[in-house]
Amino acid sequence: MAHPKTERTLVIVKPDGVQRALVGEIMKRFENVGLKLVAIKMTTTSAEHVEKHYTLDPEWRRITGEKTISSYKEKGAAPPSEDPYEVTAVILENLKRYMVAGPIVPMIWEGAHAVKVVRKLVGSTEPLSSAPGTIRGDYVLDSYPMSDTDGRAIRNLIHASGSPSEAEAEIKHWFKPEEIVRYRRMQDAIVYSPELDDYLEQ
Ligand code: GDP
Ligand code: MG
């Protein structure tokens, strides 16, 4: 089994995150927790590339549609359709418009349990219900009722991979292997080495 410290995850600062000048704040949280940045770029994307990103998992359309329909029902509201694929089609169109609206910053973070650690710091999908202390909870206040009323995607600043297998596919989708930098970082010895050196002066 690969050592947990080699896990990688994909994060994308979405157009609203760049416009609100939050790239540094967001990166700082991942640096603070001890993750290592191994790739980053500022770029723009296309509707085709965004659609491919969200549908890398062939089940994504069904799962997202079903999840959205049940969250409407939990709130006692009528879903826009009973067909998960129809619901997802609308979500995907909105996501494409959102993601192409301006520059974005894809990046790869590496370190122990990178996927889980990043998701914990990012918070839940809908900023209104993201816990305080998380990036979405602290920096944005969007909600599904508001984004649905306005016929747009929820503005939640960032994308972060949901599982290690999702991360692997997404990393390949956004970065060429030569864009990923392999390097040692001095502070990692403190976090990961089985024994700490003796730091006391004799
Ligand atoms: P994430 O991994 O936290 O971004 O969330 P998901 O992968 O579950 O969903 C991807 C995107 O689909 C989200 O960023 C939203 O734009 C959209 N989405 C997911 N669930 C819902 C929902 O219940 N309602 C609406 N309107 N959009 C949703
Ligand atoms: Mg996701």
Side-chain angles (χ1 to χ4, degrees):
M1 192 192 112
H3 193 281
K5 73 180 179 186
T6 63
E7 190 169 299
R8 288 174 174 173
T9 191
L10 180 86
V11 172
I12 305 175
V13 181
K14 295 176 175 177
D16 53 330
V18 174
Q19 289 304 317
R20 294 194 44 214
L22 289 171
V23 180
E25 285 298 327
I26 289 166
M27 293 182 69
K28 186 166 177 246
R29 302 231 170 169
F30 303 139
E31 284 187 328
N32 281 353
V33 81
L35 293 171
K36 180 169 79 172
L37 182 68
V38 296
I40 183 167
K41 56 186 163 191
M42 167 165 273
T43 186
T44 55
T45 191
S46 64
E48 293 71 34
H49 199 76
V50 173
E51 174 157 344
K52 186 79 202 300
H53 164 85
Y54 282 106
T55 55
L56 284 169
D57 173 3
E59 292 291 289
W60 182 82
R61 288 176 199 267
R62 183 183 56 78
I63 295 167
T64 303
E66 288 174 357
K67 211 183 69 177
T68 306
I69 290 169
S70 48
S71 85
Y72 272 94
K73 290 184 175 170
E74 275 162 31
K75 287 178 213 145
S81 160
E82 288 291 340
D83 177 356
Y85 294 93
E86 276 183 23
V87 171
T88 300
V90 175
I91 291 178
L92 193 53
E93 282 313 302
N94 289 339
L95 279 170
K96 288 194 270 188
R97 286 205 331 275
Y98 173 30
M99 292 297 285
V100 305
I104 56 174
V105 182
M107 48 191 143
I108 304 172
W109 291 89
E110 183 182 287
H113 316 289
V115 171
K116 251 192 175 165
V117 168
V118 164
R119 293 285 281 201
K120 178 180 72 169
L121 298 181
V122 165
S124 57
T125 308
E126 185 196 27
L128 179 63
S129 27
S130 313
T134 65
I135 296 167
R136 288 169 176 161
D138 284 354
Y139 292 113
V140 67
L141 42 61
D142 205 8
S143 70
Y144 287 138
M146 190 158 67
S147 63
D148 287 352
T149 300
D150 293 342
R152 59 166 176 79
I154 192 106
R155 292 186 187 137
N156 58 10
L157 303 174
I158 18 190
H159 165 79
S161 307
S163 68
S165 61
E166 200 175 288
E168 208 182 311
E170 291 177 353
I171 285 169
K172 283 203 190 94
H173 185 61
W174 290 94
F175 287 93
K176 300 188 194 97
E178 61 269 26
E179 291 176 307
I180 305 173
V181 182
R182 290 163 52 88
Y183 65 103
R184 269 186 304 119
R185 210 172 46 164
M186 305 307 283
Q187 73 164 59
D188 288 345
I190 310 297
V191 183
Y192 297 120
S193 66
E195 296 294 334
L196 282 180
D197 289 333
D198 184 351
Y199 297 106
L200 292 174
E201 303 259 4
Q202 296 308 313

